Structures are given as structure tokens and as C-alpha cells.
Amino acid sequence: MTSAISHRRLSDCSLEEAAEGFTAGFSGYVVPMNVTVPSLQLRIEGDHVDLDESFVYFDGENPAGILLVGRRGDLSRVGAIGMGPTIRGRGFGRSVMLNAIEAAKARGDRKLILEVINTNERARDLYLSLGFVITRKLVGFGRSRKLAAPDVAPAKESDLKTAAAMLAKFADTGLSWQTDPRSFERAGLPLKGFALGDKGGRAFG
């Protein structure tokens, strides 16, 4: 481990460096992460990541962490924060979050939001200690490929902008950042849009 810890704006880094920093930052995470340049590009586009407000952290010359900040108007979101094993455990994550909070205040943002997996108690406790409050729980769903397909008419593939427009028209209010229709307007493969009658949706191909 070296003491030469530095950071650069994402706009000043290559996507290869950012993907490496992302993967290192989430090493040992509750969900295995192996970030590639294409998957990072998709996240940047869909989450409206601000390249000038996001940072890659380096241990010497090696990418070792990431902070991604998405912005939509006066609402901003910490979409990813991870410090790798060589810089972890020294309060560095707290310092990064404090800087992100101060940056949001300086921009005049109305609110700064983030999500955390509930079993990740260390991160959850950090955010609570920094003044974040729990507003709701996000629920994930999965379905086995072995289950028989439901007896419904097949959906037809549509362009993502059409699917996003349908989502905006028919979706519930108060959607999470990731399920907001704006998340899919600029995204590309492997994300695909589908329409069932006059309603749309999206899925990963």
C-alpha cells in the first residue's frame, strides 16, 4: 500500500481507468462486480453521470476506487462509491462522501440521493451518520428460465425512445432513479425496448 493516493475527474480519465477503478472499488462487495468499458458506458448514459462531478481514485498509478454522481436538474445521485482494498478502511470513503455532499450544496442541488443494499450494514451506517435518511426500500425480482412462459401475446421489440415514452405515460409516480424513463432514452445495447399493445417496457438482451 502506498500513501500516494490521488484522484482525477472522470472527464480527465479514460473509460479503461474508470472501469478498473470501479472493479477495484467494489472488490469483495456483497454483489460480485466486474465492470467493463461497455457496461460502464451504458451506466454513464443511462444514469446521466456527470463526468466533471465524478472521480476515479488512484493508489499510486493504479486505479483503486470510483465515485459516480448522476445529475438530473437540481436532483443528484451517488450512483456508485467504492474504495479498493489498498485504500479501504482508513476513513477515505467518509471523506469522499463528505466532499460529494459539499459539492451538491455548492451546486445548489435540491437533494442528494443514493441507494444501498440493506445487508451492507457498514455502508448503510456510514450514510445514516452523514445525515441521509431512509425514504423507502427498493425490491428486486428474478425469474427462473425454467418456468413456463405465461400465456400472453408476445411483446414486439421497439426502439428505446418509444418504450421510454410509453413508460413515462403509464408508469407509476415516484419511480426510482434507475427505473425512471429517462434512464433508457440514451441507453444502447444490451438494453432493448419492447411494446405490448399500447404499453412499453425494457429488458436486457
Side-chain angles (χ1 to χ4, degrees):
M1 180 178 64
T2 176
S3 60
I5 299 173
S6 62
H7 64 277
R8 299 204 303 266
R9 295 184 187 276
L10 184 52
S11 56
D12 295 326
C13 297
S14 68
L15 286 181
E16 287 79 9
E17 289 173 320
E20 187 177 342
F22 200 135
T23 299
F26 282 81
S27 174
Y29 188 54
V30 291
V31 177
M33 302 285 280
N34 182 22
V35 180
T36 64
V37 167
S39 66
L40 178 59
Q41 183 66 58
L42 187 66
R43 182 185 289 260
I44 289 172
E45 291 289 335
D47 286 355
H48 295 84
V49 170
D50 189 323
L51 303 183
D52 290 324
E53 298 292 340
S54 302
F55 296 89
V56 179
Y57 296 85
F58 293 82
D59 184 358
E61 297 298 320
N62 300 315
I66 194 80
L67 170 71
L68 296 182
V69 175
R71 299 184 63 211
R72 292 175 181 163
D74 61 357
L75 178 65
S76 59
R77 170 178 176 262
V78 175
I81 175 173
M83 301 297 121
T86 65
I87 60 176
R88 190 178 295 161
R90 291 187 284 169
F92 198 55
R94 173 178 287 273
S95 175
V96 170
M97 279 302 306
L98 285 171
N99 288 338
I101 292 169
E102 290 305 312
K105 290 180 180 178
R107 291 192 301 264
D109 289 351
R110 170 174 54 87
K111 186 182 294 186
L112 176 65
I113 64 172
L114 53 77
E115 297 87 28
V116 61
I117 295 177
N118 198 45
T119 55
N120 189 359
E121 296 180 357
R122 184 173 181 177
R124 184 191 63 196
D125 291 346
L126 168 63
Y127 302 142
L128 290 173
S129 73
L130 293 174
F132 288 88
V133 295
I134 297 173
T135 56
R136 64 177 170 181
K137 292 185 178 180
L138 302 180
V139 181
F141 296 88
R143 190 179 191 279
S144 172
R145 291 174 180 255
K146 297 179 181 179
L147 293 176
D151 186 19
V152 296
K156 294 181 179 180
E157 188 169 342
S158 68
D159 65 273
L160 279 170
K161 286 188 177 180
T162 299
M166 289 184 177
L167 283 171
K169 182 178 180 180
F170 295 106
D172 295 332
T173 58
L175 295 173
S176 68
W177 188 282
Q178 304 97 312
T179 58
D180 188 295
R182 288 173 290 181
S183 297
F184 314 112
E185 291 175 341
R186 295 186 295 173
L189 291 175
L191 204 62
K192 296 181 179 180
F194 293 90
L196 183 61
D198 61 350
K199 295 185 179 182
R202 85 284 180 221
F204 284 98

